Amino acid sequence: MAQSTEHWSHYWQNSKSLNSFSEGDSALGYTGNLQFYWHDIFGRTATGAVIVDIASGNGALAISAVAFSELNDKKFTVYACDIADVKPEVLFQSEPDILAKLKKVQFYPATAIENLPFENNSIDLIISQFGFEYANQMEAVAECNRVLKPDGCFNALIHHADSFISKDSEAGLAFYKNCLSEEGFLTQVEQLLVLAESCWLKGVSPTTDVDYVAQNKILFKIATALKAQYSSTAAAFWCDDLLRRLAPVLASPKPGNLTSFLSFRHSVVLYIARLEDQVNATWSQYDRDNFISTFQSNLAALRVTPFYEENALFAWSLDWQNTG
């Protein structure tokens, strides 16, 4: 693959989530207006249809299609593909209900939207939630239309630049980049743990080492200042979460803390890469208008409209019909 997907593969293989909502009720599926949105689409899709969930993650949308098909005797055939190395059947081995539905989806990991493994005119419906916008738009539209049957449909929800999700991601991205800077909090934590490790190697407890004790006091002041700096900002949650995760490491120095921290730091680096991808993929009003002006001449019934969840702006709803 032309682009690195380590950060996404790491997320999908290590987060017990079917989609990119790693916390909350939606981690294992969709509820509320989201569920209604997709069920309405599945309800209008013909019995026996072939459906592809592109940029599927661990398959929340794909198994939603399976569940709807079973409940309504729609007899869908459901495929799912993602550019990351997704392995949902491994991750959900201990969840029999989810696993049963996952086994009814044929997954294509390490598969880009721009290069789908399906025959021409073979797919009735392509669906995507927070995935299509990450692709090269010109190539992705052409590839989706290649595999769609004449009159086949495309439906997606796209990250909206003004949604809470996007604003929260921007805040988190800025916060973590600050913490990883040369003088940032995580850099200071690493320096303290390197000092602690040197103490352990000399057979000395860090709590009796003058330099360690002094540096730990400085770090405590930095942590206090960091919490005060972000307490009334959009990054307050991100700050509190980081300090909570690191509190045990800083409160009780133990051999091996440095190794654990470096693993955590690497996960933060991967997290930043995901947030950067997401922020870069969001569609502003300009992006929405540009997509329409670019493709309206060759995409039938093209619509891009705001979508709301719990009365809050959530995404753009994008749909079109293939004219063959």
Side-chain angles (χ1 to χ4, degrees):
M1 289 173 286
Q3 63 192 90
S4 171
T5 60
E6 179 192 0
H7 48 300
W8 287 107
S9 295
H10 179 271
Y11 172 75
W12 292 121
Q13 292 178 20
N14 292 279
S15 298
K16 200 85 177 275
S17 176
L18 290 167
N19 54 43
S20 55
F21 302 103
S22 58
E23 297 179 352
D25 294 338
S26 292
L28 298 179
Y30 299 124
T31 59
N33 202 32
L34 273 175
Q35 185 182 66
F36 178 82
Y37 174 87
W38 289 113
H39 280 194
D40 179 60
I41 291 168
F42 299 148
R44 289 185 277 111
T45 301
T47 298
V50 180
I51 300 175
V52 178
D53 178 11
I54 56 174
S56 64
N58 281 333
L61 194 50
I63 69 169
S64 180
V66 168
F68 185 91
S69 177
E70 291 177 339
L71 187 63
N72 296 277
D73 195 28
K74 296 287 274 187
K75 298 181 175 61
F76 292 154
T77 297
V78 183
Y79 301 120
C81 60
D82 197 282
I83 197 169
D85 186 16
V86 294
K87 299 177 180 179
E89 288 190 31
V90 175
L91 191 63
F92 289 94
Q93 280 290 333
S94 62
E95 304 285 344
D97 291 342
I98 293 174
L99 186 62
K101 288 182 173 58
L102 286 171
K103 287 183 175 181
K104 295 180 180 179
V105 179
Q106 183 171 341
F107 280 87
Y108 293 86
T111 299
I113 298 172
E114 299 91 333
N115 189 26
L116 297 172
F118 308 111
E119 298 293 330
N120 295 352
N121 309 126
S122 60
I123 307 299
D124 295 284
L125 173 65
I126 294 177
I127 53 177
S128 178
Q129 179 154 319
F130 298 154
F132 175 79
E133 60 269 41
Y134 291 82
N136 177 293
Q137 302 293 279
M138 294 298 294
E139 295 179 16
V141 168
E143 185 68 348
C144 288
N145 276 345
R146 178 188 69 79
V147 302
L148 279 172
K149 295 178 181 178
D151 298 325
C153 295
F154 177 100
N155 291 88
L157 291 178
I158 306 292
H159 277 301
H160 196 302
D162 295 327
S163 70
F164 168 79
I165 293 174
S166 296
K167 295 300 183 184
D168 185 56
S169 296
E170 289 175 358
L173 179 59
F175 169 75
Y176 273 120
K177 280 190 170 182
N178 176 45
C179 288
L180 279 176
S181 65
E182 187 174 347
E183 300 298 326
F185 178 65
L186 289 176
T187 304
Q188 299 294 324
V189 172
E190 183 175 348
Q191 292 173 359
L192 178 70
L193 294 179
V194 167
L195 185 59
E197 195 70 15
S198 68
C199 290
W200 294 120
L201 290 174
K202 292 184 292 186
V204 177
S205 172
T207 57
T208 64
D209 182 82
V210 175
D211 292 335
Y212 176 88
V213 171
Q215 183 64 25
N216 197 24
K217 288 181 179 179
I218 293 172
L219 189 60
F220 179 78
K221 291 180 180 179
I222 293 174
T224 302
L226 192 72
K227 185 172 178 62
Q229 177 184 351
Y230 287 100
S231 62
S232 59
T233 71
F237 167 81
W238 301 88
C239 181
D240 290 343
D241 181 65
L242 177 67
L243 294 177
R244 176 184 58 80
R245 289 172 182 267
L246 292 180
V249 174
L250 300 178
S252 179
K254 297 177 182 177
N257 274 359
L258 177 61
T259 300
S260 298
F261 171 78
L262 292 177
S263 176
F264 171 75
R265 186 184 184 281
H266 180 61
S267 70
V268 170
V269 171
L270 296 178
Y271 200 2
I272 286 175
R274 288 202 299 117
L275 289 173
E276 285 183 324
D277 280 357
Q278 181 178 318
V279 169
N280 291 334
T282 58
W283 283 14
S284 64
Q285 182 72 41
Y286 171 82
D287 296 316
R288 176 261 189 193
D289 294 346
N290 185 58
F291 186 90
I292 291 175
S293 65
T294 301
F295 295 106
Q296 62 184 349
S297 62
N298 61 357
L299 293 179
L302 173 61
R303 296 185 303 169
V304 189
T305 57
F307 175 84
Y308 293 83
E309 174 69 3
E310 296 181 353
N311 298 317
L313 182 62
F314 184 78
W316 293 107
S317 172
L318 167 64
D319 55 274
W320 76 74
Q321 189 172 23
N322 186 26
T323 58

mmCIF file of all heavy atoms in Angstrom, residues 130 133 158-167 281-285 305-307 313-316:
data_model
loop_
_atom_site.group_PDB
_atom_site.id
_atom_site.type_symbol
_atom_site.label_atom_id
_atom_site.label_comp_id
_atom_site.label_asym_id
_atom_site.label_seq_id
_atom_site.Cartn_x
_atom_site.Cartn_y
_atom_site.Cartn_z
ATOM 1 N N PHE A 130 -17.896 7.399 7.972
ATOM 2 C CA PHE A 130 -16.613 7.990 8.321
ATOM 3 C C PHE A 130 -15.456 7.183 7.720
ATOM 4 O O PHE A 130 -14.578 6.695 8.428
ATOM 5 C CB PHE A 130 -16.454 8.110 9.840
ATOM 6 C CG PHE A 130 -17.470 9.010 10.479
ATOM 7 C CD1 PHE A 130 -17.824 8.833 11.801
ATOM 8 C CD2 PHE A 130 -18.067 10.026 9.761
ATOM 9 C CE1 PHE A 130 -18.769 9.672 12.405
ATOM 10 C CE2 PHE A 130 -19.008 10.872 10.344
ATOM 11 C CZ PHE A 130 -19.359 10.690 11.670
ATOM 12 N N GLU A 133 -14.351 9.609 2.985
ATOM 13 C CA GLU A 133 -13.663 10.901 2.887
ATOM 14 C C GLU A 133 -12.146 10.788 3.024
ATOM 15 O O GLU A 133 -11.415 11.712 2.680
ATOM 16 C CB GLU A 133 -14.214 11.873 3.937
ATOM 17 C CG GLU A 133 -14.064 11.441 5.380
ATOM 18 C CD GLU A 133 -15.260 10.656 5.887
ATOM 19 O OE1 GLU A 133 -15.784 9.802 5.136
ATOM 20 O OE2 GLU A 133 -15.648 10.861 7.047
ATOM 21 N N ILE A 158 -20.187 11.403 6.213
ATOM 22 C CA ILE A 158 -18.863 12.008 6.075
ATOM 23 C C ILE A 158 -18.597 12.924 7.265
ATOM 24 O O ILE A 158 -19.480 13.677 7.686
ATOM 25 C CB ILE A 158 -18.794 12.842 4.772
ATOM 26 C CG1 ILE A 158 -19.199 12.002 3.558
ATOM 27 C CG2 ILE A 158 -17.435 13.489 4.597
ATOM 28 C CD1 ILE A 158 -18.249 10.907 3.194
ATOM 29 N N HIS A 159 -17.380 12.901 7.790
ATOM 30 C CA HIS A 159 -17.031 13.810 8.879
ATOM 31 C C HIS A 159 -17.299 15.265 8.475
ATOM 32 O O HIS A 159 -16.814 15.732 7.448
ATOM 33 C CB HIS A 159 -15.552 13.670 9.238
ATOM 34 C CG HIS A 159 -15.261 12.542 10.173
ATOM 35 N ND1 HIS A 159 -15.828 12.455 11.430
ATOM 36 C CD2 HIS A 159 -14.444 11.458 10.047
ATOM 37 C CE1 HIS A 159 -15.371 11.369 12.035
ATOM 38 N NE2 HIS A 159 -14.547 10.745 11.233
ATOM 39 N N HIS A 160 -18.047 15.972 9.300
ATOM 40 C CA HIS A 160 -18.356 17.388 9.078
ATOM 41 C C HIS A 160 -17.381 18.228 9.904
ATOM 42 O O HIS A 160 -17.202 17.996 11.105
ATOM 43 C CB HIS A 160 -19.800 17.667 9.506
ATOM 44 C CG HIS A 160 -20.353 18.961 8.997
ATOM 45 N ND1 HIS A 160 -19.768 20.185 9.262
ATOM 46 C CD2 HIS A 160 -21.450 19.222 8.233
ATOM 47 C CE1 HIS A 160 -20.480 21.143 8.697
ATOM 48 N NE2 HIS A 160 -21.509 20.585 8.051
ATOM 49 N N ALA A 161 -16.764 19.215 9.287
ATOM 50 C CA ALA A 161 -15.756 20.028 9.969
ATOM 51 C C ALA A 161 -16.300 20.757 11.187
ATOM 52 O O ALA A 161 -15.545 21.096 12.108
ATOM 53 C CB ALA A 161 -15.147 21.028 8.991
ATOM 54 N N ASP A 162 -17.609 21.003 11.210
ATOM 55 C CA ASP A 162 -18.206 21.744 12.321
ATOM 56 C C ASP A 162 -18.887 20.849 13.352
ATOM 57 O O ASP A 162 -19.543 21.347 14.264
ATOM 58 C CB ASP A 162 -19.220 22.760 11.783
ATOM 59 C CG ASP A 162 -18.562 23.841 10.945
ATOM 60 O OD1 ASP A 162 -17.409 24.201 11.255
ATOM 61 O OD2 ASP A 162 -19.192 24.313 9.984
ATOM 62 N N SER A 163 -18.738 19.541 13.219
ATOM 63 C CA SER A 163 -19.363 18.631 14.178
ATOM 64 C C SER A 163 -18.564 18.592 15.473
ATOM 65 O O SER A 163 -17.380 18.944 15.521
ATOM 66 C CB SER A 163 -19.443 17.216 13.595
ATOM 67 O OG SER A 163 -18.142 16.643 13.518
ATOM 68 N N PHE A 164 -19.211 18.106 16.537
ATOM 69 C CA PHE A 164 -18.526 17.958 17.816
ATOM 70 C C PHE A 164 -17.345 17.000 17.688
ATOM 71 O O PHE A 164 -16.273 17.231 18.267
ATOM 72 C CB PHE A 164 -19.487 17.432 18.886
ATOM 73 C CG PHE A 164 -18.788 16.990 20.144
ATOM 74 C CD1 PHE A 164 -18.370 17.924 21.075
ATOM 75 C CD2 PHE A 164 -18.515 15.652 20.378
ATOM 76 C CE1 PHE A 164 -17.695 17.538 22.229
ATOM 77 C CE2 PHE A 164 -17.850 15.259 21.528
ATOM 78 C CZ PHE A 164 -17.444 16.192 22.457
ATOM 79 N N ILE A 165 -17.523 15.929 16.944
ATOM 80 C CA ILE A 165 -16.447 14.948 16.784
ATOM 81 C C ILE A 165 -15.205 15.606 16.196
ATOM 82 O O ILE A 165 -14.087 15.405 16.676
ATOM 83 C CB ILE A 165 -16.902 13.781 15.881
ATOM 84 C CG1 ILE A 165 -17.990 12.975 16.574
ATOM 85 C CG2 ILE A 165 -15.726 12.877 15.527
ATOM 86 C CD1 ILE A 165 -18.596 11.891 15.701
ATOM 87 N N SER A 166 -15.398 16.414 15.156
ATOM 88 C CA SER A 166 -14.263 17.058 14.496
ATOM 89 C C SER A 166 -13.603 18.097 15.395
ATOM 90 O O SER A 166 -12.373 18.170 15.482
ATOM 91 C CB SER A 166 -14.711 17.702 13.182
ATOM 92 O OG SER A 166 -15.167 16.716 12.274
ATOM 93 N N LYS A 167 -14.418 18.901 16.077
ATOM 94 C CA LYS A 167 -13.864 19.920 16.964
ATOM 95 C C LYS A 167 -13.109 19.272 18.125
ATOM 96 O O LYS A 167 -12.043 19.742 18.533
ATOM 97 C CB LYS A 167 -14.981 20.823 17.502
ATOM 98 C CG LYS A 167 -15.677 21.654 16.432
ATOM 99 C CD LYS A 167 -14.696 22.572 15.711
ATOM 100 C CE LYS A 167 -15.398 23.452 14.693
ATOM 101 N NZ LYS A 167 -14.439 24.285 13.919
ATOM 102 N N ALA A 281 -9.370 14.767 6.822
ATOM 103 C CA ALA A 281 -10.421 14.171 5.975
ATOM 104 C C ALA A 281 -11.761 14.888 6.093
ATOM 105 O O ALA A 281 -12.621 14.716 5.229
ATOM 106 C CB ALA A 281 -10.605 12.694 6.335
ATOM 107 N N THR A 282 -11.965 15.672 7.139
ATOM 108 C CA THR A 282 -13.270 16.298 7.342
ATOM 109 C C THR A 282 -13.645 17.221 6.190
ATOM 110 O O THR A 282 -12.788 17.834 5.572
ATOM 111 C CB THR A 282 -13.295 17.113 8.653
ATOM 112 O OG1 THR A 282 -12.261 18.104 8.612
ATOM 113 C CG2 THR A 282 -13.102 16.224 9.856
ATOM 114 N N TRP A 283 -14.924 17.301 5.955
ATOM 115 C CA TRP A 283 -15.432 18.181 4.895
ATOM 116 C C TRP A 283 -16.020 19.458 5.495
ATOM 117 O O TRP A 283 -16.936 19.400 6.324
ATOM 118 C CB TRP A 283 -16.530 17.482 4.099
ATOM 119 C CG TRP A 283 -16.042 16.467 3.119
ATOM 120 C CD1 TRP A 283 -14.802 15.915 3.051
ATOM 121 C CD2 TRP A 283 -16.805 15.858 2.068
ATOM 122 N NE1 TRP A 283 -14.733 14.998 2.034
ATOM 123 C CE2 TRP A 283 -15.952 14.944 1.408
ATOM 124 C CE3 TRP A 283 -18.115 15.986 1.635
ATOM 125 C CZ2 TRP A 283 -16.372 14.179 0.335
ATOM 126 C CZ3 TRP A 283 -18.545 15.215 0.574
ATOM 127 C CH2 TRP A 283 -17.679 14.322 -0.084
ATOM 128 N N SER A 284 -15.503 20.582 5.061
ATOM 129 C CA SER A 284 -16.106 21.868 5.372
ATOM 130 C C SER A 284 -17.222 22.140 4.360
ATOM 131 O O SER A 284 -17.454 21.340 3.437
ATOM 132 C CB SER A 284 -15.051 22.971 5.289
ATOM 133 O OG SER A 284 -14.576 23.073 3.944
ATOM 134 N N GLN A 285 -17.894 23.261 4.511
ATOM 135 C CA GLN A 285 -18.892 23.649 3.514
ATOM 136 C C GLN A 285 -18.244 23.785 2.147
ATOM 137 O O GLN A 285 -18.823 23.385 1.122
ATOM 138 C CB GLN A 285 -19.551 24.970 3.914
ATOM 139 C CG GLN A 285 -20.648 25.440 2.965
ATOM 140 C CD GLN A 285 -21.908 24.608 3.052
ATOM 141 O OE1 GLN A 285 -22.327 24.226 4.149
ATOM 142 N NE2 GLN A 285 -22.537 24.327 1.921
ATOM 143 N N THR A 305 -25.992 16.545 2.310
ATOM 144 C CA THR A 305 -26.788 17.344 3.241
ATOM 145 C C THR A 305 -26.329 17.117 4.675
ATOM 146 O O THR A 305 -25.787 16.060 5.003
ATOM 147 C CB THR A 305 -28.276 16.980 3.131
ATOM 148 O OG1 THR A 305 -28.424 15.568 3.366
ATOM 149 C CG2 THR A 305 -28.812 17.308 1.740
ATOM 150 N N PRO A 306 -26.548 18.104 5.551
ATOM 151 C CA PRO A 306 -26.168 17.916 6.965
ATOM 152 C C PRO A 306 -26.995 16.813 7.615
ATOM 153 O O PRO A 306 -28.176 16.647 7.332
ATOM 154 C CB PRO A 306 -26.480 19.281 7.600
ATOM 155 C CG PRO A 306 -26.547 20.236 6.463
ATOM 156 C CD PRO A 306 -27.070 19.451 5.299
ATOM 157 N N PHE A 307 -26.340 16.070 8.490
ATOM 158 C CA PHE A 307 -27.008 14.998 9.237
ATOM 159 C C PHE A 307 -26.853 15.296 10.727
ATOM 160 O O PHE A 307 -25.767 15.628 11.199
ATOM 161 C CB PHE A 307 -26.389 13.642 8.907
ATOM 162 C CG PHE A 307 -26.950 12.496 9.721
ATOM 163 C CD1 PHE A 307 -28.122 11.873 9.333
ATOM 164 C CD2 PHE A 307 -26.307 12.065 10.875
ATOM 165 C CE1 PHE A 307 -28.648 10.822 10.087
ATOM 166 C CE2 PHE A 307 -26.822 11.022 11.625
ATOM 167 C CZ PHE A 307 -28.000 10.400 11.226
ATOM 168 N N LEU A 313 -25.247 18.693 15.118
ATOM 169 C CA LEU A 313 -24.627 18.426 13.823
ATOM 170 C C LEU A 313 -23.627 17.293 13.973
ATOM 171 O O LEU A 313 -22.744 17.330 14.833
ATOM 172 C CB LEU A 313 -23.930 19.685 13.320
ATOM 173 C CG LEU A 313 -23.259 19.585 11.946
ATOM 174 C CD1 LEU A 313 -24.280 19.276 10.861
ATOM 175 C CD2 LEU A 313 -22.531 20.880 11.631
ATOM 176 N N PHE A 314 -23.766 16.273 13.130
ATOM 177 C CA PHE A 314 -22.972 15.062 13.296
ATOM 178 C C PHE A 314 -22.110 14.747 12.080
ATOM 179 O O PHE A 314 -20.977 14.283 12.210
ATOM 180 C CB PHE A 314 -23.911 13.886 13.572
ATOM 181 C CG PHE A 314 -23.218 12.586 13.854
ATOM 182 C CD1 PHE A 314 -22.652 12.341 15.097
ATOM 183 C CD2 PHE A 314 -23.148 11.586 12.891
ATOM 184 C CE1 PHE A 314 -22.012 11.144 15.373
ATOM 185 C CE2 PHE A 314 -22.524 10.381 13.148
ATOM 186 C CZ PHE A 314 -21.952 10.165 14.395
ATOM 187 N N ALA A 315 -22.644 14.972 10.892
ATOM 188 C CA ALA A 315 -21.944 14.547 9.679
ATOM 189 C C ALA A 315 -22.602 15.175 8.453
ATOM 190 O O ALA A 315 -23.620 15.867 8.544
ATOM 191 C CB ALA A 315 -21.990 13.020 9.559
ATOM 192 N N TRP A 316 -21.986 14.919 7.299
ATOM 193 C CA TRP A 316 -22.638 15.134 6.006
ATOM 194 C C TRP A 316 -23.207 13.798 5.552
ATOM 195 O O TRP A 316 -22.555 12.762 5.677
ATOM 196 C CB TRP A 316 -21.642 15.602 4.953
ATOM 197 C CG TRP A 316 -21.034 16.947 5.145
ATOM 198 C CD1 TRP A 316 -19.748 17.216 5.525
ATOM 199 C CD2 TRP A 316 -21.661 18.221 4.926
ATOM 200 N NE1 TRP A 316 -19.540 18.572 5.574
ATOM 201 C CE2 TRP A 316 -20.691 19.215 5.215
ATOM 202 C CE3 TRP A 316 -22.940 18.616 4.536
ATOM 203 C CZ2 TRP A 316 -20.961 20.570 5.111
ATOM 204 C CZ3 TRP A 316 -23.221 19.962 4.436
ATOM 205 C CH2 TRP A 316 -22.245 20.929 4.714
#
